[in-house]
Amino acid sequence: MKFLLDVPVGRVVADWLREQGYDVLEVRQINPSLSDEEILQIATQQGRIVITVDKDFGELAIRQGASHRGIVRLPDVPVSKRQAMLETVLSRHRDALERGALITVSRTRVRIRG
């Protein structure tokens, strides 16, 4: 599984995913000023799942129909809990991610679309 991490997600999460054996690219490595549309375009071209804290990606994917290979949104998850929440998503919802689902993780629930 390959991921593209939006800048606010953080280096700790990126490093942890790499330690787990995932192919991880960070937006900060490409250009921290990329627009959300550009991030989705790069992720789609490279077959990467976007991990973000930005709610706008849901708008792009659902309402505007932007192409994507999967999106994990962590809009309300504090930095200290992101790794644990992602671990849960990867262990319980891997199939949905591989199908290109939009997964929104909050402090109390996981919502899957697609």
Side-chain angles (χ1 to χ4, degrees):
M1 207 175 292
K2 298 184 338 181
F3 296 100
L4 177 58
L5 273 62
D6 199 3
V7 174
V9 173
R11 189 165 309 220
V12 171
V13 171
D15 291 344
W16 175 79
L17 285 167
R18 287 185 186 102
E19 289 170 8
Q20 304 307 305
Y22 294 106
D23 180 334
V24 178
L25 181 62
E26 297 175 72
V27 171
R28 79 176 81 245
Q29 296 171 311
I30 304 166
N31 176 353
S33 300
L34 289 175
S35 69
D36 294 345
E37 292 86 357
E38 291 169 317
I39 291 169
L40 277 182
Q41 183 179 25
I42 290 168
T44 300
Q45 290 169 348
Q46 295 185 11
R48 294 181 181 275
I49 297 164
V50 172
I51 300 178
T52 185
V53 298
D54 188 346
K55 294 180 181 183
D56 294 338
F57 283 91
E59 172 78 22
L60 288 169
I62 303 298
R63 293 208 175 111
Q64 296 182 26
S67 293
H68 64 87
R69 298 280 192 243
I71 301 170
V72 177
R73 294 176 50 234
L74 306 161
D76 301 323
V77 178
V79 173
S80 62
K81 305 244 186 243
R82 289 181 189 160
Q83 179 180 323
M85 295 304 286
L86 277 174
E87 190 169 15
T88 299
V89 167
L90 291 170
S91 66
R92 295 184 186 169
H93 306 292
R94 178 178 293 277
D95 291 343
L97 272 177
E98 290 175 345
R99 288 191 314 267
L102 169 63
I103 298 178
T104 302
V105 180
S106 71
R107 294 176 194 191
T108 58
R109 69 182 184 137
V110 175
R111 180 176 170 196
I112 301 172
R113 294 182 96 157

